[in-house]
Protein backbone atom coordinates (compact mmCIF):
# COMPACT_ATOMS: atom_id res chain seq x y z
CA UNK A 1 0.00 0.00 0.00
CA UNK A 2 1.50 3.34 -1.08
CA UNK A 3 2.13 5.78 1.76
CA UNK A 4 -0.20 8.76 1.74
CA UNK A 5 2.59 11.33 1.40
CA UNK A 6 4.16 9.39 -1.49
CA UNK A 7 0.82 9.01 -3.25
CA UNK A 8 0.39 12.78 -3.07
CA UNK A 9 3.89 13.29 -4.49
CA UNK A 10 3.28 10.87 -7.37
CA UNK A 11 -0.04 12.52 -8.15
CA UNK A 12 1.69 15.87 -8.52
CA UNK A 13 4.43 14.46 -10.73
CA UNK A 14 1.94 12.61 -12.93
CA UNK A 15 -0.41 15.59 -13.17
CA UNK A 16 2.42 17.74 -14.58
CA UNK A 17 3.95 15.08 -16.82
CA UNK A 18 1.68 12.51 -18.44
CA UNK A 19 4.64 10.27 -19.27
CA UNK A 20 5.77 10.00 -15.66
CA UNK A 21 3.15 7.40 -14.63
CA UNK A 22 4.47 4.86 -17.15
CA UNK A 23 8.04 5.75 -16.14
CA UNK A 24 7.21 5.00 -12.48
CA UNK A 25 5.60 1.65 -13.31
CA UNK A 26 8.66 0.55 -15.28
CA UNK A 27 11.16 1.48 -12.56
CA UNK A 28 13.04 -1.14 -10.57
CA UNK A 29 12.62 -1.23 -6.80
CA UNK A 30 15.82 0.78 -6.48
CA UNK A 31 14.54 3.29 -9.03
CA UNK A 32 11.39 3.84 -7.00
CA UNK A 33 13.49 4.42 -3.90
CA UNK A 34 15.58 6.96 -5.82
CA UNK A 35 12.55 8.87 -7.10
CA UNK A 36 11.13 8.94 -3.58
CA UNK A 37 14.34 10.40 -2.19
CA UNK A 38 14.58 12.89 -5.05
CA UNK A 39 11.10 14.18 -4.19
CA UNK A 40 12.15 14.56 -0.54
CA UNK A 41 15.40 16.23 -1.56
CA UNK A 42 13.44 18.72 -3.62
CA UNK A 43 10.96 19.50 -0.85
CA UNK A 44 13.15 19.14 2.26
CA UNK A 45 16.78 19.69 1.27
CA UNK A 46 16.88 21.91 -1.80
CA UNK A 47 17.39 25.65 -1.36
CA UNK A 48 15.70 26.24 -4.71
CA UNK A 49 13.02 23.55 -5.18
CA UNK A 50 12.10 22.65 -8.74
CA UNK A 51 8.55 22.83 -10.01
CA UNK A 52 6.82 19.40 -10.21
CA UNK A 53 6.80 19.47 -14.01
CA UNK A 54 10.53 20.21 -14.17
CA UNK A 55 11.33 17.55 -11.58
CA UNK A 56 9.17 14.93 -13.31
CA UNK A 57 10.87 15.49 -16.67
CA UNK A 58 14.33 15.45 -15.06
CA UNK A 59 13.58 12.17 -13.28
CA UNK A 60 12.52 10.64 -16.61
CA UNK A 61 15.35 11.90 -18.78
CA UNK A 62 18.39 12.95 -16.75
CA UNK A 63 21.06 10.75 -15.13
CA UNK A 64 20.26 10.27 -11.45
CA UNK A 65 23.45 11.90 -10.24
CA UNK A 66 22.71 15.01 -12.30
CA UNK A 67 19.20 15.21 -10.87
CA UNK A 68 20.46 15.23 -7.29
CA UNK A 69 23.34 17.60 -7.97
CA UNK A 70 20.89 20.10 -9.41
CA UNK A 71 18.71 19.76 -6.32
CA UNK A 72 21.21 19.67 -3.45
CA UNK A 73 24.66 20.30 -4.90
CA UNK A 74 27.61 17.90 -4.59
CA UNK A 75 26.73 14.39 -3.41
CA UNK A 76 28.94 11.82 -1.65
CA UNK A 77 30.72 9.25 -3.87
CA UNK A 78 28.57 6.20 -4.61
CA UNK A 79 25.43 7.67 -3.05
CA UNK A 80 23.22 7.15 -6.08
CA UNK A 81 24.28 3.49 -6.37
CA UNK A 82 23.00 2.85 -2.87
CA UNK A 83 19.37 3.05 -4.00
CA UNK A 84 19.74 -0.05 -6.17
CA UNK A 85 20.46 -2.02 -2.98
CA UNK A 86 17.12 -1.02 -1.50
CA UNK A 87 14.36 -3.58 -1.97
CA UNK A 88 10.73 -3.77 -0.96
CA UNK A 89 8.35 -0.95 -0.08
CA UNK A 90 9.49 2.63 0.21
CA UNK A 91 10.95 3.70 3.54
CA UNK A 92 9.73 6.37 5.90
CA UNK A 93 10.69 9.94 5.03
CA UNK A 94 12.96 10.12 8.06
CA UNK A 95 14.92 7.01 7.02
CA UNK A 96 15.74 8.49 3.62
CA UNK A 97 16.96 11.70 5.23
CA UNK A 98 19.04 9.69 7.71
CA UNK A 99 20.50 7.71 4.82
CA UNK A 100 21.53 11.01 3.23
CA UNK A 101 23.15 12.26 6.43
CA UNK A 102 24.93 8.98 7.16
CA UNK A 103 26.39 8.78 3.67
CA UNK A 104 28.40 11.91 4.42
CA UNK A 105 30.24 10.07 7.22
CA UNK A 106 33.20 7.99 6.03
CA UNK A 107 32.66 4.81 8.05
CA UNK A 108 28.91 4.69 7.38
CA UNK A 109 29.50 5.25 3.67
CA UNK A 110 32.01 2.39 3.52
CA UNK A 111 29.55 0.12 5.34
CA UNK A 112 26.76 1.01 2.89
CA UNK A 113 29.06 0.35 -0.06
CA UNK A 114 29.91 -3.13 1.22
CA UNK A 115 26.39 -4.17 2.19
CA UNK A 116 24.66 -6.34 -0.40
CA UNK A 117 21.30 -4.79 0.45
CA UNK A 118 20.19 -1.77 2.43
CA UNK A 119 17.12 -1.86 4.65
CA UNK A 120 15.43 0.61 6.97
CA UNK A 121 16.71 -1.47 9.88
CA UNK A 122 20.34 -1.24 8.75
CA UNK A 123 20.08 2.51 8.35
CA UNK A 124 18.76 2.63 11.92
CA UNK A 125 21.62 0.42 13.12
CA UNK A 126 24.24 2.70 11.57
CA UNK A 127 22.51 5.72 13.04
CA UNK A 128 22.65 4.25 16.56
CA UNK A 129 26.25 3.10 16.36
CA UNK A 130 28.93 5.64 17.13
CA UNK A 131 30.93 6.54 13.99
CA UNK A 132 33.99 4.52 14.97
CA UNK A 133 31.84 1.37 15.26
CA UNK A 134 30.13 1.78 11.88
CA UNK A 135 32.01 -1.09 10.31
CA UNK A 136 30.57 -3.36 7.65
CA UNK A 137 31.48 -6.48 9.63
CA UNK A 138 29.62 -5.15 12.69
CA UNK A 139 26.55 -3.88 10.82
CA UNK A 140 26.25 -7.09 8.79
CA UNK A 141 26.19 -9.19 11.98
CA UNK A 142 23.32 -7.23 13.56
CA UNK A 143 20.09 -8.85 12.41
CA UNK A 144 17.67 -7.75 15.14
CA UNK A 145 17.22 -5.35 18.03
CA UNK A 146 18.24 -7.94 20.61
CA UNK A 147 21.68 -8.43 19.06
CA UNK A 148 22.04 -4.69 18.62
CA UNK A 149 21.57 -4.30 22.37
CA UNK A 150 24.05 -7.13 23.01
CA UNK A 151 26.68 -5.43 20.84
CA UNK A 152 26.21 -2.08 22.56
CA UNK A 153 26.41 -3.69 26.01
CA UNK A 154 29.57 -5.61 25.08
CA UNK A 155 31.21 -2.41 23.84
CA UNK A 156 30.37 -0.60 27.07
CA UNK A 157 31.75 -3.48 29.13
CA UNK A 158 35.07 -3.49 27.31
CA UNK A 159 35.27 0.29 27.50
CA UNK A 160 34.80 0.26 31.25
CA UNK A 161 37.14 -2.66 31.94
CA UNK A 162 39.86 -1.88 29.38
CA UNK A 163 40.63 1.85 29.58
CA UNK A 164 43.95 1.05 27.88
CA UNK A 165 42.10 0.38 24.61
CA UNK A 166 40.88 3.14 22.30
CA UNK A 167 37.46 2.98 20.65
CA UNK A 168 39.20 2.37 17.34
CA UNK A 169 41.04 -0.65 18.78
CA UNK A 170 37.84 -2.03 20.31
CA UNK A 171 35.97 -1.52 17.04
CA UNK A 172 38.74 -3.16 15.02
CA UNK A 173 38.91 -6.15 17.35
CA UNK A 174 35.13 -6.59 17.43
CA UNK A 175 34.83 -6.25 13.66
CA UNK A 176 37.56 -8.84 13.06
CA UNK A 177 35.88 -11.30 15.42
CA UNK A 178 32.42 -10.88 13.86
CA UNK A 179 33.88 -11.09 10.37
CA UNK A 180 35.19 -14.54 11.30
CA UNK A 181 31.67 -15.47 12.49
CA UNK A 182 32.85 -15.43 16.08
CA UNK A 183 30.45 -15.29 19.01
CA UNK A 184 30.16 -12.02 20.86
CA UNK A 185 30.79 -13.88 24.14
CA UNK A 186 34.08 -15.26 22.78
CA UNK A 187 35.21 -11.80 21.73
CA UNK A 188 34.23 -10.36 25.10
CA UNK A 189 36.15 -13.09 26.90
CA UNK A 190 39.29 -12.41 24.83
CA UNK A 191 38.97 -8.66 25.25
CA UNK A 192 38.77 -9.03 29.03
CA UNK A 193 41.39 -11.74 29.46
CA UNK A 194 43.92 -9.24 30.83
CA UNK A 195 41.55 -7.85 33.42
CA UNK A 196 42.16 -9.20 36.92
CA UNK A 197 39.24 -10.52 38.93
CA UNK A 198 38.42 -8.74 42.18
CA UNK A 199 39.18 -10.61 45.38
CA UNK A 200 36.55 -13.21 46.23
CA UNK A 201 34.07 -12.28 48.96
CA UNK A 202 35.05 -15.44 50.80
CA UNK A 203 38.20 -17.60 50.69
CA UNK A 204 36.17 -20.80 50.39
CA UNK A 205 37.09 -24.25 51.70
CA UNK A 206 39.06 -27.21 50.43
CA UNK A 207 35.92 -28.40 48.61
CA UNK A 208 34.28 -25.10 47.71
CA UNK A 209 36.85 -23.03 45.86
CA UNK A 210 36.50 -19.56 44.31
CA UNK A 211 37.19 -19.16 40.59
CA UNK A 212 39.68 -16.31 40.75
CA UNK A 213 40.54 -15.78 37.09
CA UNK A 214 39.14 -16.20 33.62
CA UNK A 215 41.07 -19.39 32.91
CA UNK A 216 39.42 -21.10 35.87
CA UNK A 217 35.99 -19.87 34.75
CA UNK A 218 36.59 -21.08 31.20
CA UNK A 219 37.78 -24.48 32.46
CA UNK A 220 34.66 -24.90 34.60
CA UNK A 221 32.43 -23.76 31.73
CA UNK A 222 33.94 -26.52 29.61
CA UNK A 223 33.75 -29.10 32.40
CA UNK A 224 30.12 -28.31 33.21
CA UNK A 225 29.06 -27.58 29.64
CA UNK A 226 27.44 -24.25 30.48
CA UNK A 227 27.68 -20.55 29.58
CA UNK A 228 29.65 -19.48 32.63
CA UNK A 229 32.03 -17.37 30.54
CA UNK A 230 29.11 -15.11 29.63
CA UNK A 231 28.94 -14.09 33.29
CA UNK A 232 32.52 -12.81 33.53
CA UNK A 233 31.47 -9.18 33.48
CA UNK A 234 29.17 -9.72 36.47
CA UNK A 235 32.28 -10.83 38.36
CA UNK A 236 34.36 -7.90 37.14
CA UNK A 237 31.60 -5.48 38.14
CA UNK A 238 31.44 -6.96 41.64
CA UNK A 239 27.91 -8.31 41.35
CA UNK A 240 28.65 -12.05 41.36
CA UNK A 241 31.40 -14.50 42.21
CA UNK A 242 31.55 -18.16 41.28
CA UNK A 243 32.74 -21.10 43.33
CA UNK A 244 33.47 -24.67 42.29
CA UNK A 245 32.15 -27.48 44.49
CA UNK A 246 34.76 -30.14 43.85
CA UNK A 247 33.21 -33.17 45.53
CA UNK A 248 31.32 -35.89 43.66
CA UNK A 249 30.03 -34.73 40.31
CA UNK A 250 30.71 -31.17 41.33
CA UNK A 251 28.64 -28.00 41.10
CA UNK A 252 28.94 -24.32 40.31
CA UNK A 253 27.86 -22.04 43.14
CA UNK A 254 27.03 -18.43 42.37
CA UNK A 255 27.48 -15.89 45.16
CA UNK A 256 25.43 -12.78 44.44
CA UNK A 257 25.68 -9.34 45.99
CA UNK A 258 22.30 -8.19 47.26
CA UNK A 259 21.83 -4.48 47.84
CA UNK A 260 20.28 -5.12 51.26
CA UNK A 261 21.66 -8.44 52.46
CA UNK A 262 25.18 -8.29 51.06
CA UNK A 263 26.64 -11.51 49.66
CA UNK A 264 24.20 -14.40 49.44
CA UNK A 265 24.30 -17.82 47.82
CA UNK A 266 22.42 -17.74 44.54
CA UNK A 267 22.05 -20.49 41.98
CA UNK A 268 23.73 -23.84 42.46
CA UNK A 269 23.93 -25.89 39.28
CA UNK A 270 25.50 -29.09 38.07
CA UNK A 271 26.49 -30.11 34.57
CA UNK A 272 24.43 -28.55 31.76
CA UNK A 273 22.79 -26.32 34.39
CA UNK A 274 20.98 -29.27 35.94
CA UNK A 275 19.84 -29.27 39.56
CA UNK A 276 22.06 -30.86 42.17
CA UNK A 277 20.95 -33.36 44.84
CA UNK A 278 19.55 -32.02 48.11
CA UNK A 279 22.35 -33.61 50.11
CA UNK A 280 24.91 -31.60 48.10
CA UNK A 281 22.96 -28.41 48.78
CA UNK A 282 23.07 -29.17 52.50
CA UNK A 283 26.83 -29.67 52.41
CA UNK A 284 27.35 -26.42 50.55
CA UNK A 285 25.08 -24.67 53.06
CA UNK A 286 27.14 -26.07 55.91
CA UNK A 287 30.39 -24.80 54.39
CA UNK A 288 29.02 -21.30 53.89
CA UNK A 289 27.62 -21.11 57.42
CA UNK A 290 30.89 -22.26 58.94
CA UNK A 291 32.68 -19.53 57.00
CA UNK A 292 31.31 -16.84 59.30
CA UNK A 293 29.28 -15.21 56.55
CA UNK A 294 25.54 -14.84 56.77
CA UNK A 295 24.92 -16.25 53.33
CA UNK A 296 21.41 -17.25 52.52
CA UNK A 297 20.10 -19.46 49.76
CA UNK A 298 17.88 -17.79 47.18
CA UNK A 299 16.20 -21.11 46.57
CA UNK A 300 15.03 -21.07 50.19
CA UNK A 301 13.77 -17.50 49.85
CA UNK A 302 11.72 -18.13 46.73
CA UNK A 303 8.40 -18.05 48.52
CA UNK A 304 5.56 -15.58 48.69
CA UNK A 305 3.94 -16.60 51.96
CA UNK A 306 4.35 -15.32 55.50
CA UNK A 307 5.73 -18.62 56.77
CA UNK A 308 8.53 -18.53 54.20
CA UNK A 309 9.29 -14.87 54.92
CA UNK A 310 9.36 -15.53 58.65
CA UNK A 311 11.77 -18.40 58.09
CA UNK A 312 13.99 -16.06 56.07
CA UNK A 313 14.09 -13.45 58.86
CA UNK A 314 14.80 -16.04 61.54
CA UNK A 315 17.67 -17.56 59.57
CA UNK A 316 19.24 -14.25 58.60
CA UNK A 317 19.00 -12.54 61.97
CA UNK A 318 19.48 -15.71 64.03
CA UNK A 319 16.23 -15.28 65.91
Amino acid sequence: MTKKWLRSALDQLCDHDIKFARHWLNLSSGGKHFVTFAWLANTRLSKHPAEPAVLAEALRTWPRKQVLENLVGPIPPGFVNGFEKMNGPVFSQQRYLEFWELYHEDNARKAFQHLQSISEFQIGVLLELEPVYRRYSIVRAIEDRAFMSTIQLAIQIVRSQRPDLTDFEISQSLGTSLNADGKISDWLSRALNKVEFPSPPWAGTDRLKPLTDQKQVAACAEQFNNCLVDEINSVLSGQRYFYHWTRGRGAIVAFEKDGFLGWVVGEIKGKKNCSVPQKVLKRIELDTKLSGYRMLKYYDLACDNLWGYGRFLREFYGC
Side-chain angles (χ1 to χ4, degrees), residues 105-138:
E105 195 274 314
D106 288 344
N107 288 342
R109 181 169 64 252
K110 291 176 183 176
F112 281 132
Q113 289 171 345
H114 283 90
L115 287 169
Q116 293 184 346
S117 62
I118 297 174
S119 66
E120 283 196 87
F121 177 73
Q122 288 167 324
I123 295 172
V125 165
L126 279 162
L127 190 68
E128 286 191 44
L129 289 172
E130 296 176 46
V132 71
Y133 293 99
R134 291 170 179 169
R135 291 176 175 267
Y136 162 69
S137 52
I138 295 177

Side-chain angles (χ1 to χ4, degrees), residues 215-240:
K215 288 183 179 180
Q216 292 180 3
V217 171
C220 277
E222 184 174 355
Q223 177 184 342
F224 287 86
N225 193 17
N226 60 26
C227 298
L228 194 60
V229 291
D230 293 349
E231 299 294 333
I232 285 176
N233 186 61
S234 66
V235 177
L236 296 175
S237 63
Q239 297 304 308
R240 306 184 88 186

Side-chain angles (χ1 to χ4, degrees), residues 211-282:
L211 304 178
T212 57
D213 59 45
Q214 297 198 44
K215 288 183 179 180
Q216 292 180 3
V217 171
C220 277
E222 184 174 355
Q223 177 184 342
F224 287 86
N225 193 17
N226 60 26
C227 298
L228 194 60
V229 291
D230 293 349
E231 299 294 333
I232 285 176
N233 186 61
S234 66
V235 177
L236 296 175
S237 63
Q239 297 304 308
R240 306 184 88 186
Y241 218 97
F242 295 97
Y243 288 72
H244 180 199
W245 177 260
T246 59
R247 296 295 189 265
R249 295 182 179 179
I252 297 296
V253 182
F255 282 23
E256 303 183 8
K257 194 170 187 179
D258 182 88
F260 176 68
L261 303 175
W263 286 98
V264 297
V265 179
E267 291 184 315
I268 300 175
K269 297 292 185 180
K271 286 189 176 182
K272 297 183 178 180
N273 290 324
C274 291
S275 301
V276 299
Q278 191 66 30
K279 63 180 181 180
V280 175
L281 296 179
K282 292 296 183 183

Side-chain angles (χ1 to χ4, degrees), residues 5-6 8-10 12-13 34-44 52 55 59 71:
W5 63 269
L6 178 59
S8 174
L10 292 175
Q12 292 187 52
L13 292 172
F34 172 78
V35 167
T36 305
F37 175 78
W39 173 266
L40 288 172
N42 188 52
T43 56
R44 302 279 294 273
L55 180 60
L59 288 170
L71 292 175

